[in-house]
Amino acid sequence: MQFSIGVEYAFHSLFYMVDLPEHKTIGIKDIAKLHGITVTYLSKIFSKLRKAGIVRSIAGVNGGYELAKGAENISFWDIIEAIEGTSRLFHCIEIRKKNIFVNDPSIFTDKCPCLIKVVIQEAEDLMRNQLKMKSLRWLHDQVHKDFSVEKRKAIADWLKDV
Amino acid sequence: MQFSIGVEYAFHSLFYMVDLPEHKTIGIKDIAKLHGITVTYLSKIFSKLRKAGIVRSIAGVNGGYELAKGAENISFWDIIEAIEGTSRLFHCIEIRKKNIFVNDPSIFTDKCPCLIKVVIQEAEDLMRNQLKMKSLRWLHDQVHKDFSVEKRKAIADWLKDV
DNA sequence: TCTATTGTGGATAATGAGTATCCATGTTAT
DNA sequence: ATAACATGGATACTCATTATCCACAATAGA
């Protein structure tokens, strides 16, 4: 039970896009090369990010992607939910409906929703809310603080040429 | 990205075992019939619960399963971890290692562990801790509070005969 | 207008985890 | 001894994820 690899690709792709100069886009081709994966595969991931309103696409020559809103308004959970979808960790499929006590409805009248589901979803919400509090901007600033001058320059140069 | 169905089978199986009289065991066969699944499949789930120290097995005639400790000492998370394992939601496979900046090690010297992983794991820990606070006993008492006298009797009678 | 560049989406295959069953084996009360 | 019970190996089926190829649409610049 893990997040898909697409979440990691999304995080690391978006991380570099924070430094993109205003009105400059970056092509899928360049990010795919950066990660060593194919263009068409990464495009599926960016398709999800686009539908979630995290990035914006510009078609045609010199087109590409840019962040659809400020990095401070893109949370960790926004990115995860864009890739993983909105489904819950515990999806009660009501196996109780099949159990032997069901034959007598007067005896088997559980309250719905199932309490197990409620408890697990409440715990899940704690996690989600924590992830909603950390933004892509925060991640970017924390990480860049520890980058050397040379590394920041290397990234900036690379972004200039793509 | 969801918990496996085994988690639900485990919860609903253990729920009935709380009412089991002292030193009385229940056979896999009866629980499997209750849920409408095969004995061998449910035995895989109970094998995990046994290895996690949640239930204890007695082989041979009149054998079966019983809780290995008090229901108040079995948390929601204990049950989930027994079935799902201990792996984390976000397992950073370090795609950065493949990226183009790696060719120059003096430039690419990220601190490990990856900050993305740290943040997600901290959020996950909030969820885990919340699930560690709710016990099987608590679930049992909350649900039984709302059960009718007839239903409680039906369950008790069923447990007496298995 | 033509063309090279860039994103979009359908079709498809490979992989791997989860779901599920059957059967052989070991243990134990009667 | 035997019937009842758990255990573990082998196997197959299903399904989401991972991944690629290709045809198509959009667009900037020659």
Side-chain angles (χ1 to χ4, degrees):
Chain A
M1 209 271 306
Q2 287 181 183
F3 290 144
S4 70
I5 184 69
V7 172
E8 193 174 352
Y9 287 135
F11 266 100
H12 281 98
S13 300
L14 293 168
F15 174 78
Y16 289 105
M17 294 173 69
V18 175
D19 283 324
L20 219 49
E22 192 83 20
H23 298 308
K24 180 161 177 18
T25 61
I26 186 169
I28 281 265
K29 194 177 56 170
D30 295 301
I31 310 179
K33 194 188 294 175
L34 180 73
H35 293 146
I37 57 180
T38 61
V39 171
T40 42
Y41 177 50
L42 190 60
S43 76
K44 307 296 180 192
I45 293 164
F46 268 79
S47 177
K48 289 181 176 178
L49 292 174
R50 186 176 58 85
K51 283 166 186 162
I54 293 174
V55 300
R56 187 177 14 241
S57 69
I58 286 104
V61 178
N62 293 332
Y65 284 97
E66 62 186 344
L67 296 184
K69 51 187 174 183
E72 61 280 359
N73 292 320
I74 300 173
S75 74
F76 271 56
W77 182 252
D78 289 334
I79 299 170
I80 294 171
E81 194 175 46
I83 307 297
E84 291 290 317
T86 56
S87 75
R88 291 287 185 158
L89 282 183
F90 186 76
H91 176 242
C92 186
I93 62 161
E94 297 287 336
I95 60 173
R96 294 173 302 170
K97 293 277 167 58
K98 293 193 296 182
N99 100 13
I100 55 175
F101 295 120
V102 171
N103 291 333
D104 186 346
S106 71
I107 287 176
F108 196 84
T109 53
D110 273 1
K111 58 178 173 185
C112 202
C114 162
L115 186 57
I116 301 169
K117 185 174 70 177
V118 171
V119 170
I120 296 179
Q121 289 195 354
E122 280 173 0
E124 193 186 353
D125 284 339
L126 284 180
M127 177 180 69
R128 291 188 176 195
N129 290 335
Q130 178 73 6
L131 291 171
K132 283 174 187 168
M133 287 170 57
K134 299 279 184 181
S135 73
L136 181 61
R137 170 75 63 197
W138 175 87
L139 174 70
H140 172 271
D141 292 349
Q142 289 290 315
V143 172
H144 271 248
K145 226 171 44 185
D146 291 335
F147 277 2
S148 65
V149 176
E150 292 78 24
K151 172 150 190 185
R152 280 202 287 266
K153 186 173 184 309
I155 295 176
D157 287 347
W158 176 73
L159 283 171
K160 218 184 300 170
D161 292 341
V162 295
Chain B
M1 209 272 305
Q2 287 182 183
F3 290 143
S4 70
I5 184 70
V7 173
E8 193 173 353
Y9 287 135
F11 266 100
H12 282 98
S13 301
L14 292 169
F15 175 79
Y16 289 105
M17 293 173 68
V18 175
D19 283 323
L20 218 49
E22 192 82 18
H23 297 306
K24 182 163 175 18
T25 61
I26 187 171
I28 282 267
K29 194 178 59 174
D30 295 301
I31 310 178
K33 194 188 293 174
L34 180 74
H35 294 146
I37 56 178
T38 61
V39 171
T40 43
Y41 178 50
L42 190 60
S43 76
K44 309 294 182 192
I45 292 164
F46 268 79
S47 177
K48 289 180 177 178
L49 292 174
R50 186 175 59 84
K51 282 165 185 164
I54 293 174
V55 299
R56 185 176 17 240
S57 70
I58 286 105
V61 178
N62 293 332
Y65 284 96
E66 62 185 345
L67 296 184
K69 50 188 175 181
E72 61 279 359
N73 293 320
I74 299 171
S75 75
F76 271 55
W77 182 252
D78 290 334
I79 298 169
I80 293 171
E81 194 175 47
I83 306 299
E84 291 288 320
T86 57
S87 75
R88 291 287 186 159
L89 280 183
F90 185 76
H91 177 238
C92 185
I93 61 161
E94 298 287 338
I95 61 173
R96 294 173 303 170
K97 294 278 167 58
K98 293 194 296 184
N99 100 13
I100 55 175
F101 296 122
V102 171
N103 291 333
D104 186 344
S106 70
I107 289 176
F108 195 82
T109 51
D110 272 2
K111 62 177 169 184
C112 202
C114 161
L115 187 57
I116 300 169
K117 184 174 71 176
V118 172
V119 169
I120 296 179
Q121 290 194 353
E122 280 173 0
E124 193 185 352
D125 285 338
L126 285 180
M127 176 181 70
R128 291 186 176 196
N129 289 334
Q130 178 75 7
L131 291 171
K132 284 174 186 168
M133 286 170 58
K134 299 280 185 181
S135 73
L136 181 60
R137 170 75 62 196
W138 176 87
L139 174 71
H140 172 272
D141 292 349
Q142 288 290 316
V143 172
H144 271 247
K145 229 172 42 187
D146 291 337
F147 276 2
S148 66
V149 177
E150 292 78 23
K151 173 150 189 184
R152 279 201 288 265
K153 187 173 183 307
I155 294 177
D157 288 346
W158 176 73
L159 283 172
K160 217 184 299 168
D161 292 341
V162 294

